[in-house]
Amino acid sequence: MKSGRKSSVKKLLLALGALGGIFAYAATIGKDTPLGHHADHVFSKIKAPVTKPLAEFEKFTRRFGKASHDDPDHWALRDACMAAMFIERSGFHFSQSRWGGAPVPYQFRGLELVGPEKLPPNAGDIHQGIDLRIGYEILIASYRSFDNEKKEWESWRFDTPPNLTEMSFARQDGVWKIAIAPHKSYAVP
């Protein structure tokens, strides 16, 4: 069975190669022959449905493809956002919660910012002047919080800290803005 499939695939590849060779001949050296005229007719029928979507894609990439996650303005906003949320000491990151009755100190081990991921704008974004979104995932190996009553750190936890998963930035009318960030949940003490 396998050798039958291999021979069928070989035959198909040979046929496609021969067909490609015929079209290449007809479009170049033999363009004034009946075969060349027929090939030109077939090419024109194929070209029309393919050209329009390619032109639309090109227009889209010119409008939205210029933006890059390497944009220094975006880096500055990302770094400012991280600096407002975390302080690094001795290989750990520290922050405190901004929700609830009183702020609670948090210690994070293995904080990693994954990204950026370029996110294409949706119709609503375009209507609001947003031409690009950049997203990051915030990963933490473990974390613990400080128990203010006992005046000691709790045990390390190995799940996702509350309200600390992702952040994203949107470029609106040429200016980068914070779209989603945990800076409203965590801040440097």
Side-chain angles (χ1 to χ4, degrees), residues 48-108:
V50 171
T51 304
K52 185 176 180 182
L54 285 175
E56 290 296 317
F57 179 72
E58 228 176 80
K59 188 169 123 184
F60 177 83
T61 55
R62 272 196 312 274
R63 183 169 176 196
F64 302 113
K66 288 180 188 174
S68 170
H69 55 271
D70 295 334
D71 185 343
D73 290 340
H74 153 249
W75 291 342
L77 184 59
R78 176 201 62 200
D79 294 346
C81 194
M82 290 296 286
M85 292 186 296
F86 304 105
I87 188 166
E88 185 178 1
R89 296 284 187 265
S90 303
F92 295 99
H93 286 83
F94 295 88
S95 190
Q96 69 180 15
S97 66
R98 294 182 69 181
W99 68 89
V104 175
Y106 276 80
Q107 182 180 14
F108 303 100

Side-chain angles (χ1 to χ4, degrees), residues 114-174:
V114 179
E117 180 182 355
K118 193 173 180 179
L119 308 168
N122 59 38
D125 288 342
I126 294 168
H127 181 70
Q128 294 176 26
I130 296 171
D131 65 348
L132 179 64
R133 288 185 182 271
I134 299 289
Y136 290 90
E137 186 176 1
I138 300 172
L139 299 178
I140 304 290
S142 59
Y143 74 96
R144 63 185 180 175
S145 58
F146 190 79
D147 187 326
N148 285 323
E149 289 179 14
K150 294 180 183 176
K151 302 294 182 210
E152 63 184 32
W153 287 101
E154 295 179 348
S155 299
W156 287 101
R157 297 185 59 159
F158 297 91
D159 57 352
T160 304
N163 306 321
L164 188 63
T165 55
E166 65 181 336
M167 65 181 177
S168 68
F169 306 97
R171 191 173 65 187
Q172 185 175 21
D173 299 324

